[in-house]
Each structure stands twice: as structure tokens, then as C-alpha cells.
Amino acid sequence: MENIREIVQFNIIHENNSEPREQHYHQNLDMLYVLSGSVDVVIDDKEYHLKEEDMILINSNKRHKFENSGNLLAIRFAIDYYLLSQTVGTTQMLFLCNSAVDKNSAYDKLRHQIKEIIRYYYTETKGDKCYLQALYYQMLHVLIANFMVKTEEAKVLFDHNSDKERISEIQSYIQGHYQSPISLNDLAEQMYLTPAYLSKYIKKKFGMTFIDYLNNIRLFHAVDELVYTNKSLTHIAMDNGFCTSAALNKSFKKVFNMSPGEYRKSAEKCVEKVANEDEIGKQEIISFIENESNKLKSGKSTQLLVEVDASNYKKKYVDETRVINIGSIYMLLQQEAQEQLLELKDKLGITHVRVWNVFASNTCIRENDTYSFHKLDNVLDFLVDNDIKLYMELGQKPTLLMYAPERYINPDSKEIKLFEYDFYKKLIKDLSIHLVNRYGIEEIEKWYFEFWNNPLLKIGEETGEYYRYFDLIYKTFKNISQDINIGGPGLVLGYEKALAERVFAIWKKREIWPDFISFGSFQYISFADGQFIYGKKSLDKDYVKNQVSVMKQSMADIGFNVKEFHLDEWNYTVSNRNVISDSCEHAAYIMKNYIDMIGNVDVMCYWHGLDLYAEYYDTNSLLSGDAGLISRDGIKKPSFYAVEFLNRSYCNEICRNDNGIISTNGRGSYSIVCHNFKPLSESYLDIEEDLIQIKDIEHYIQDTEDLGMKCVLNNVQNGNYQIKTYYINPEYGSVQDMWKRLGLAESMESEEIQFIKKHANPNMEMQQVEVSDNRLEVEFNLKATEIRFIEIKYQFKYE
């Protein structure tokens, strides 16, 4: 048979050549892209409805079928699993690519690549097969970077995997010896373990027995030879470690529900089908290409024109509530932390601070079965006296400091504790009465009380103790006032979607609902495969916006309609040692997401306010890569100014786009807050966050192109305007780049720190313009990762 194999092949699916209705398996990956019409895709026991522009990738050996819903025109890509595994260097691949249930800006990249493949294949000469192959590999590159996880290298958020080396050793040994008659005893001897212990270990970590895992590896290679060679079944069995063709047949049927011979015939029919596409489908494709030609030829622009009617604006786009994470409430007993917090309040408009560990021994003194709230009162008095409200987490949330998702700076703090219910009941009652008597009902009605989903409370189970504890908090505070805000549980967007959906369904059936639902967001996504969940970083430039949309849709589908939606922790990483956090790139990220979330969430609580949160356990450098807006030495980082620029903008929105927002005070003055945010590149996927070097930051963003912007405000009052521009970029105002120009000195004297503090602030430019035709134009250039605030004030004068 000796088929000529290509890494990608595709065929047309339309209403006149519908796919088989029965479910079937194959080793190669299937990717379906709907050009028009719709189709239902069934994978195992789940059904997905795909509409125009939707796509789905079906992983290897997943039982599936397509059910044409009518008027369908689609492209089905068959991706050679063996060749792809050789390209990426692993057979342990899993993809999550399903636009019917997921949102990711990378889907637009993938659509563009697919359309370019189709256009070239059907409209260009077939002489340059190299270019077509290049297009295939570009498409695969987008898939691998954005939708694939190597399961043997997968990171599971907040779950240190100390077994990685042992798992890798098991996989490497079996991959290297699968053609030989190896046994569990052989592997156990190699690893200096007992066969009984190793058998249980493999069953626990791989979800299958040693022999099943070994046979899966053998089948992977056997399937490849079935499809692409004319070897006999006996020959294939012996070459891939099966003692007889009967052994191959038995293992094959267990996985594929068919014999090797039936599978080979099925594959031959599939190849013939791809090779004999009908003319009707081709004509439909060519018509589609002609309709799409203008879209496909549009290039990437580095110039942006924004033209608006300045007299048409929305009233009051700025949220009254602006929350910042501080961390353990004990930190606010420090004078240094108090001073820096007051600066956040004054310059950034912070109204609330989110804190936890309210009942920790360093904050509350336990005497027998009661607590003294004296130290807690010292903190709360300071906050109330300075008109700062509380967003208080009432559980036992650990203060984790992290190098990367699997490695902790303070591993001793990973231990999670739980108050016994009856004691906690008394504690919450005592606290609630103490707070209302000391600060008054009117004050605490302006606070938020949150209960985090401590894993020990099993929130994903209907009988989970979380709901018992939550109801206790809810009833206790609501007995004081129905207007006290109680919520939770702080689930992780993108990463805990399946858990969140279970929680929504459980809570919907309960009598008591939270006043607000809270989530964290750290730019990670999870992949579910059977009983295993794998995680990876996400490169989606619109991750926060997309994941909030997905979660709100899930809540709506279930009918769990909570009054407020909170992001109580959000950042692009969990790491406290990622130098990108000190850079202009991070400032642009913060500005972009604050703007994206205007009107989409009720509370946007950035993670976190001060570098003091992650005391320098492991470094004494000027900057440590923590996510705070202010460094330990009190130096404002670019991210601080991202929030300050937003706080200084006017409150009536005229226009918003991907790069900024234009607003007005309604009295002849205007503001423009904008950024040139750069998404992280594929290189960022392959490195631990704490290993990134300052000198290499540009390597981890997609490009360094400038962005030209021209803003035209029509229907403004004629006369003179003063335009003030404040900006920060790697050349002006960035503390990290100043430090780099000073040689990144590890130890700095007070004089040097004061010099940097004085000069690490925005650059300012001023100009006067005269408007005579009710049209005001502002044109400028944004460098890569730059943030900018432009204030345009009408200059009144006597006639």
C-alpha cells in the first residue's frame, strides 16, 4: 500500500457528501472548520454544535461522529499524529481546540491560516508544494502554541509535582523498549522499586495498568504501520512488541472496538475519499474564497485612526468601587505598608482593600476558645480613619509566594488549615457583633465579606462542607443587616471551568445564594482528559475578557444569576519572581484589561498592590519580579502609572477600542488613555517564569512594532486647547529600564535608590492647538509596550 504521507491532508464536507453517522476512532487528529451552515459533532458522550467560523479538533483515538445539520460547507483536516509527534518530540499530546465552548484570540489566527491554505490550494498553481507545506506548518504552529499541552510536561496550578522525574523515567524506559518483551519486573528492577509498589504507582499516575500503558505505546506504532505500510499483521505485531498477531488483535479491539484488518480497510477508504473530492464541493469552496478574498488580503496595520463625535458620550463609565489586594491583614500593622497604601488610595482612587488571614495568630490572640480582636482593630481603625473599605476573606487562605506554578518560595505556607465548624460558628458570631458595635452597620454595609473555597471543604460536591460554612457566614451577617455583602468562592477562570459549572448547578438548587460571585484569573487554562486535568499558560491576548464571557455564559445557561461578578485576583501569572511584572509590558497589560472590563465586571481587584506582600526571602535586589505596583523601596513601577492614568481620565466615555479609551468631563475637556500592549510570544510557554532575564524580555513578547495613532474629535467647541501628554515606555520613566541602564546592580546605596525614585515617573509634553472647524486632531506614536495619558483642556478667555 505504501501511501505517500503528508503531515496534513484535507477534504471538503458538504450536504452532498455527509460523513459517516456512526462513531469511529482513528489515531490521526481530526480538525473540522465550518465555512457555512452548521454541524453537530459528538465526541464520546458529549455533543457540540458548530456554526459558521467554528472549529473543533478531535484528539487521537477519541470516539466521534459528525451529524450534518443542513446546508453544511466545511473543511476536515486530517493531521498525521505520528509525524506531528516526531515534530514536537513527544507522543503525549492533548489539544483543547473547540470554539463552540471556548474563547481565545488565537482562533482568529487559526482561521486566517486555514483560509490561506484553502485559497492557495484551490486558486494558485500546484507547482509550489513547498509553500503549501509551509502553510500547513504555520497552521500547526498556531495549534501547538495555543491549544496543545505535552501531558508529560503539564503543570497543574498550585500542585507541586514531585513525581515528574519518576514519571519521565517510566515513559522513557517504555518508549525505548516497547519492541522488546519487557515486563513490570524489568522496569521495577531498573528503578530500584518493588513490582507491587510500582504497579500501584503506575495505576495511580497514569490511570491504567502497566501492561495497558505498554500496549498503548505499542499500538501507537502499530497503527502507523497499518495505515502507511503493506506489512502483514503478523509482521506488524512482531515488530511492535506483541508476541503474536492474536495478541495484537486482542489489544487493538480493546482500544478501537474493531480488528486491525477492519481499521486498515477503514483508513484506505478515508484516503480514497480525500483523493477523490467531488467537483461540487470544489466549486462551493471557490465561491467562498471569492467572497472572502478581501478579508484574506488585509494586512496588519501599524496605524490606527480613531474618529469620534465628541458630543456623543455615555454618562459615568468609571466604577465607584476600585479594589486592590494587600494580602495577609497582618501586613497592614507595618507603618511602611500603611504609608504605601495611602499613596495607592490618593493616586489610584482605591476605595477598598482585600485582605485575608483575619484570624491568624499574629493578628488575633486566641485565649481558650475565644479571640481578642485588639490587633485586628488597629488595622481596621487605620482603614476606617482613612476612608478605606474592607474586602475581607473570612476563611483560612494561605499566603503563597511562588517562583512558578509548581515551585514555592515559602513551601511551609502551603499547608491549608480548617476551623472546626462549631468553633468557627462562635468565631463568626463574635466577629460580626464586634464589627457592627465598633464601626456601625452603615460602615460594614459598604464592605465585602468573602469565603474562599478551601479545598478541604469540597465545594464540587453537593454534600460539600463549603456550603454549610458559607450559609453560616451568610445567616450570621444577614441577621444584622440584609445589605451586608456576602460572596465567594474565588474559583480560577479558565483553569477551573468544569468545577465552576458544578458549583453553579449545586448553588442554584440551594436556598441561599451569594450576593457576589468571585473569581481569580492568572492566564492559565486546563485540559481535561478522562480523570486527569492538565494545565498550561495561555497566550490569548484577550484572556480575561474571553474567560469572563465564558463564565458568565455558563452561569446564564444554568440559570445561576448572581447580582455581582467580581474578579478578586487577576494577573497574567502566579509567579512572584517574574521580571515582566516590573516592566512596561505589564503596565500595558494592566491598562488593557482594566479598559476591557469596564461594564463587564462589578469589581476588578488587581493582584496585588505592594511588593511588600512578597518579602525578599531570596533576593535583596532593587526589583524582584513581584506583581506589586510599588516596590519595597517605595518606587512606583510602570504598572502603578497604568492605574493612575485611568484614575485621572474623565468619567464620561466617548469611545473605546482595543488600544484605549476616549472620555470627557462633558464641559469641553477630554482625555485619551491608551497603550501599545504586546501579547506574550510562544517562547514564554517554554520557560519557567522566574528564569526570564531582564535583558531578554523583548524575546518573550510577540513584536516590538510602534503603533501610530490619530484621534479625531468632531463637534468640539472652537477655540484654544491645551494638550498635556504623559507617557511611560522603556526609554522614559520605567524603573526597570533605568536600573538596567545602571548595570542592574544587586546592591544599591540609599542615594542611588533616591535618584531612581525621583526619575522613575512619566515624561510630560505640552502643546497648544487652535480649533476653528469644530474638529480637533491629536496624532502621536506609541512605542512597543508604552502607556499614555493625554489631557485636552479647553482654554476659556474673555472676548
Side-chain angles (χ1 to χ4, degrees):
M1 187 167 64
E2 296 295 351
N3 296 318
I4 299 174
R5 64 192 305 172
E6 294 181 346
I7 197 164
V8 176
Q9 292 185 343
F10 69 89
N11 66 300
I12 305 167
I13 299 177
H14 55 90
E15 54 187 338
N16 294 319
N17 74 338
S18 57
E19 288 289 299
R21 294 298 179 103
E22 70 277 4
Q23 290 200 328
H24 57 288
Y25 298 81
H26 43 72
Q27 181 166 281
N28 289 339
L29 304 171
D30 252 358
M31 187 168 72
L32 188 70
Y33 176 61
V34 179
L35 299 173
S36 61
S38 61
V39 63
D40 293 321
V41 179
V42 181
I43 304 175
D44 291 333
D45 299 321
K46 293 185 178 180
E47 182 174 314
Y48 305 98
H49 183 70
L50 274 65
K51 306 184 295 294
E52 184 174 326
E53 297 272 27
D54 272 337
M55 64 189 72
I56 191 170
L57 188 144
I58 301 159
N59 284 294
S60 177
N61 297 331
K62 288 291 183 181
R63 193 173 76 252
H64 64 281
K65 65 179 179 178
F66 304 140
E67 294 186 343
N68 190 339
S69 297
N71 301 316
L72 176 66
L73 179 62
I75 295 293
R76 175 176 172 266
F77 291 91
I79 302 170
D80 190 302
Y81 192 90
Y82 182 84
L83 290 183
L84 185 63
S85 69
Q86 297 297 303
T87 301
V88 301
T90 181
T91 60
Q92 307 296 309
M93 296 182 294
L94 179 67
F95 289 83
L96 176 61
C97 178
N98 183 353
S99 66
V101 297
D102 181 36
K103 289 192 174 185
N104 190 325
S105 59
Y107 284 117
D108 289 333
K109 294 182 183 178
L110 203 50
R111 290 182 184 102
H112 178 81
Q113 289 300 137
I114 290 171
K115 289 176 182 178
E116 185 62 18
I117 288 170
I118 298 169
R119 184 195 67 79
Y120 184 81
Y121 187 87
Y122 285 106
T123 63
E124 302 292 335
T125 61
K126 299 298 188 294
D128 189 0
K129 289 187 177 180
C130 288
Y131 183 69
L132 183 61
Q133 291 297 315
L135 292 176
Y136 288 154
Y137 277 97
Q138 287 175 24
M139 179 184 74
L140 293 174
H141 172 68
V142 175
L143 271 171
I144 291 166
N146 295 281
F147 301 103
M148 188 196 87
V149 62
K150 296 179 182 180
T151 56
E152 78 273 20
E153 296 179 0
K155 297 176 176 61
V156 181
L157 196 57
F158 304 131
D159 185 15
H160 177 64
N161 183 6
S162 60
D163 300 317
K164 183 184 289 187
E165 290 185 9
R166 177 173 288 175
I167 290 171
S168 178
E169 187 177 354
I170 293 170
Q171 291 172 330
S172 297
Y173 183 84
I174 294 176
Q175 287 281 1
H177 297 83
Y178 74 91
Q179 293 173 301
S180 306
I182 59 173
S183 67
L184 179 65
N185 289 341
D186 296 329
L187 178 57
E189 184 177 344
Q190 174 76 18
M191 300 184 70
Y192 303 101
L193 299 171
T194 65
Y197 173 82
L198 183 59
S199 176
K200 291 179 181 178
Y201 183 88
I202 291 175
K203 176 69 174 176
K204 179 180 178 181
K205 297 298 180 181
F206 292 82
M208 61 184 76
T209 65
F210 165 80
I211 193 64
D212 283 342
Y213 183 73
L214 172 61
N215 283 339
N216 277 357
I217 298 297
R218 288 170 170 168
L219 285 173
F220 169 79
H221 297 279
V223 165
D224 191 68
E225 293 188 354
L226 270 174
V227 175
Y228 291 102
T229 75
N230 57 6
K231 287 182 180 181
S232 67
L233 296 183
T234 300
H235 197 172
I236 290 172
M238 300 299 289
D239 283 353
N240 289 286
F242 294 99
C243 55
T244 63
S245 59
L248 168 63
N249 192 66
K250 181 179 178 181
S251 294
F252 205 96
K253 283 187 173 180
K254 184 176 180 180
V255 174
F256 294 98
N257 286 352
M258 64 177 72
S259 69
E262 291 170 332
Y263 188 96
R264 175 175 266 177
K265 290 178 181 178
S266 174
E268 288 172 354
K269 290 179 181 179
C270 183
V271 170
E272 290 171 3
K273 187 171 187 178
V274 172
N276 297 296
E277 296 166 328
D278 59 39
E279 291 300 320
I280 298 175
K282 288 183 182 179
Q283 291 304 313
E284 289 186 63
I285 290 290
I286 291 172
S287 298
F288 174 83
I289 293 167
E290 290 173 351
N291 293 333
E292 290 284 310
S293 60
N294 291 333
K295 296 179 184 178
L296 289 168
K297 291 178 181 178
S298 61
K300 180 181 177 182
S301 173
T302 56
Q303 297 293 320
L304 180 63
L305 172 65
V306 182
E307 188 162 359
V308 298
D309 180 352
S311 65
N312 184 16
Y313 55 84
K314 301 176 184 177
K315 294 283 181 74
K316 222 33 176 171
Y317 83 85
V318 174
D319 293 328
E320 298 291 341
T321 303
R322 181 164 288 166
V323 191
I324 198 78
N325 277 287
I326 291 298
S328 175
I329 198 167
Y330 175 76
M331 193 170 77
L332 287 177
L333 288 171
Q334 304 174 43
Q335 181 179 352
E336 193 174 18
Q338 291 183 2
E339 291 172 353
Q340 292 185 9
L341 174 58
L342 291 179
E343 197 155 19
L344 294 179
K345 175 184 182 293
D346 180 48
K347 299 293 186 181
L348 309 187
I350 298 302
T351 61
H352 292 65
V353 294
R354 182 169 175 266
V355 295
W356 50 89
N357 285 345
V358 175
F359 306 120
S361 59
N362 55 11
T363 305
C364 292
I365 301 172
R366 183 171 181 175
E367 298 175 353
N368 298 321
D369 286 335
T370 62
Y371 270 91
S372 168
F373 298 116
H374 176 67
K375 285 188 178 180
L376 176 62
D377 290 340
N378 288 339
V379 175
L380 301 185
D381 289 350
F382 160 75
L383 295 172
V384 171
D385 290 346
N386 287 282
D387 195 27
I388 300 174
K389 313 304 178 188
L390 265 294
Y391 193 120
M392 185 184 291
E393 202 287 307
L394 292 172
Q396 291 170 280
K397 185 180 176 70
T399 298
L400 296 174
L401 307 178
M402 310 184 78
Y403 290 114
E406 294 179 297
R407 296 186 294 111
Y408 298 87
I409 297 172
N410 58 337
D412 294 341
S413 298
K414 186 185 176 186
E415 182 183 357
I416 298 173
K417 300 176 182 178
L418 182 64
F419 286 120
E420 189 273 328
Y421 179 82
D422 288 335
F423 173 77
Y424 189 66
K425 181 178 181 179
K426 183 178 185 305
L427 183 58
I428 289 296
K429 182 178 179 180
D430 290 348
L431 176 68
S432 63
I433 295 299
H434 177 79
L435 293 178
V436 72
N437 286 338
R438 188 176 181 91
Y439 302 106
I441 291 178
E442 294 81 3
E443 176 65 23
I444 65 171
E445 283 176 347
K446 300 172 186 175
W447 298 3
Y448 292 98
F449 296 93
E450 180 190 28
F451 189 56
W452 172 64
N453 63 348
N454 188 325
L456 298 174
L457 293 173
K458 303 185 184 304
I459 194 173
E461 301 175 9
E462 287 200 24
T463 57
E465 282 287 282
Y466 177 87
Y467 303 100
R468 186 182 181 210
Y469 279 74
F470 182 88
D471 289 357
L472 162 65
I473 296 168
Y474 188 95
K475 290 176 181 178
T476 302
F477 279 94
K478 294 291 185 179
N479 281 338
I480 296 171
S481 169
Q482 288 294 314
D483 293 328
I484 296 175
N485 299 291
I486 312 295
L491 297 167
V492 182
L493 286 181
Y495 198 84
E496 293 183 321
K497 180 176 182 289
L499 173 60
E501 289 175 345
R502 290 202 302 276
V503 169
F504 301 157
I506 292 169
W507 232 329
K508 183 178 186 296
K509 292 186 288 185
R510 298 185 64 85
E511 180 182 351
I512 292 176
W513 287 16
D515 296 317
F516 62 89
I517 192 86
S518 60
F519 298 90
S521 174
F522 290 99
Q523 207 84 10
Y524 298 88
I525 52 175
S526 65
F527 293 71
D529 186 33
Q531 63 178 315
F532 296 100
I533 297 178
Y534 305 100
K536 66 170 288 187
K537 304 170 192 171
S538 171
L539 297 180
D540 182 7
K541 68 180 179 66
D542 298 319
Y543 174 90
V544 178
K545 180 167 63 176
N546 285 335
Q547 294 303 325
V548 165
S549 175
V550 168
M551 199 55 62
K552 292 175 86 171
Q553 185 61 55
S554 295
M555 292 172 66
D557 291 343
I558 292 171
F560 182 57
N561 302 309
V562 177
K563 288 188 295 185
E564 292 189 9
F565 190 107
H566 292 194
L567 282 182
D568 61 10
E569 297 176 7
W570 66 276
N571 195 11
Y572 73 103
T573 178
V574 296
S575 173
N576 298 100
R577 294 293 179 263
N578 186 332
V579 297
I580 294 176
S581 296
D582 299 320
S583 71
C584 292
E585 163 70 6
H586 192 217
Y589 167 84
I590 288 175
M591 180 178 284
K592 167 189 164 50
N593 283 289
Y594 266 121
I595 293 172
D596 283 349
M597 287 297 100
I598 292 171
N600 288 320
V601 299
D602 298 283
V603 168
M604 189 79 169
C605 183
Y606 170 69
W607 176 266
H608 46 263
L610 308 176
D611 276 3
L612 289 172
Y613 171 80
E615 290 287 355
Y616 289 12
Y617 292 81
D618 56 335
T619 177
N620 198 37
S621 299
L622 181 75
L623 301 172
S624 62
D626 192 33
L629 307 179
I630 300 179
S631 80
R632 181 187 63 173
D633 296 305
I635 303 173
K636 301 179 186 69
K637 297 197 274 188
S639 51
F640 176 96
Y641 293 107
V643 185
E644 185 188 34
F645 287 177
L646 286 162
N647 189 50
R648 292 181 63 182
S649 66
Y650 293 121
C651 64
N652 302 306
E653 178 184 339
I654 298 173
C655 169
R656 194 186 339 164
N657 62 25
D658 288 342
N659 291 92
I661 186 167
I662 302 174
S663 53
T664 179
N665 63 357
R667 298 186 175 186
S669 293
Y670 309 92
S671 63
I672 302 171
V673 181
C674 54
H675 60 83
N676 188 7
F677 169 69
K678 299 296 183 181
L680 294 169
S681 70
E682 288 82 359
S683 300
Y684 182 70
L685 297 174
D686 300 322
I687 189 169
E688 296 280 14
E689 286 97 318
D690 63 308
L691 299 181
I692 298 172
Q693 300 295 309
I694 291 175
K695 63 182 177 63
D696 298 326
I697 286 178
E698 284 188 0
H699 180 64
Y700 298 102
I701 61 176
Q702 284 190 9
D703 66 78
T704 56
E705 291 184 6
D706 291 359
L707 174 66
M709 288 189 70
K710 183 176 181 179
C711 298
V712 180
L713 280 63
N714 293 311
N715 294 325
V716 300
Q717 184 176 347
N718 288 333
N720 292 318
Y721 288 82
Q722 180 189 72
I723 301 177
K724 285 185 184 179
T725 300
Y726 303 85
Y727 58 91
I728 282 187
N729 59 39
E731 293 182 16
Y732 295 101
S734 164
V735 56
Q736 184 185 72
D737 292 282
M738 288 183 66
W739 186 35
K740 184 165 66 173
R741 289 191 285 272
L742 294 174
L744 300 175
E746 278 293 312
S747 179
M748 304 193 78
E749 297 178 1
S750 175
E751 180 183 2
E752 295 161 341
I753 293 173
Q754 291 305 314
F755 173 83
I756 292 177
K757 184 183 291 189
K758 181 179 179 181
H759 291 88
N761 48 60
N763 201 35
M764 185 181 77
E765 297 174 357
M766 289 180 59
Q767 65 180 115
Q768 302 285 332
V769 298
E770 184 175 353
V771 174
S772 58
D773 57 356
N774 304 112
R775 178 183 172 91
L776 191 154
E777 296 183 5
V778 183
E779 192 166 0
F780 52 92
N781 188 65
L782 286 169
K783 293 188 176 297
T785 71
E786 180 175 315
I787 60 172
R788 185 170 286 234
F789 169 66
I790 301 171
E791 187 176 43
I792 305 167
K793 284 189 173 182
Y794 181 78
Q795 301 296 289
F796 291 91
K797 63 180 181 179
Y798 289 108
E799 296 296 335

